[in-house]
Amino acid sequence: TMTIDNKKNIADVHIRSGVYSSDTIFDYWHGYIATRVFSRNACFILKMDKKSFPELEEIGRRAYEKQTLKKIFSPYNLWVEYTPGNSVFSKLKEWFLYGKAIEHLCRDLPVYK
């Protein structure tokens, strides 16, 4: 399921699929994406590259098309590499940088950036 909050510029995507379940937040206001993978008990945070990610309205349109057409092709593929976050002091500053929605999703979990 997907929830889009246009006032906060956030899309929240919930995938419920047993061990593959996850929650992802696209925070366009702060420019970050965070995915919490429940089976790994970890959170992955990625800085958005405006050229690589569709606009919030585009995500909503694609979700509607997928729901309507049951099949959608996306020409967008993105490969990323994550590294473990290891700074205890900077976490307070980073939560401010990432925003409340991502902090709420990832707080008290191992974070990979």
Side-chain angles (χ1 to χ4, degrees), residues 1-5 10-14:
T1 60
M2 178 185 294
T3 305
I4 295 177
D5 186 336
I10 292 176
D12 195 354
V13 180
H14 308 281

Side-chain angles (χ1 to χ4, degrees), residues 14-106:
H14 308 281
I15 297 173
R16 300 293 175 253
S17 182
V19 296
Y20 302 108
S21 295
S22 66
D23 281 346
T24 300
I25 292 178
F26 293 81
D27 189 334
Y28 283 84
W29 182 263
H30 293 92
Y32 286 92
I33 299 170
T35 299
R36 179 178 181 177
V37 181
F38 293 108
S39 65
R40 297 199 52 183
N41 198 30
C43 205
F44 300 88
I45 298 177
L46 175 68
K47 176 84 173 144
M48 270 190 205
D49 177 7
K50 300 281 184 182
K51 295 178 278 184
S52 300
F53 289 93
E55 294 294 324
L56 189 58
E57 295 81 17
E58 178 74 9
I59 289 177
R61 184 185 65 76
R62 287 185 190 180
Y64 175 75
E65 286 176 359
K66 182 169 181 156
Q67 182 181 18
T68 304
L69 302 174
K70 302 293 183 198
K71 183 177 179 183
I72 188 167
F73 170 76
S74 174
Y76 301 104
N77 290 316
L78 180 67
W79 290 91
V80 296
E81 181 179 338
Y82 291 96
T83 57
N86 57 6
S87 173
V88 175
F89 175 73
S90 67
K91 280 192 176 182
L92 296 174
K93 180 176 71 172
E94 289 172 351
W95 289 134
F96 180 74
L97 181 69
Y98 299 146
K100 288 286 185 190
I102 291 176
E103 177 184 6
H104 181 70
L105 180 71
C106 297

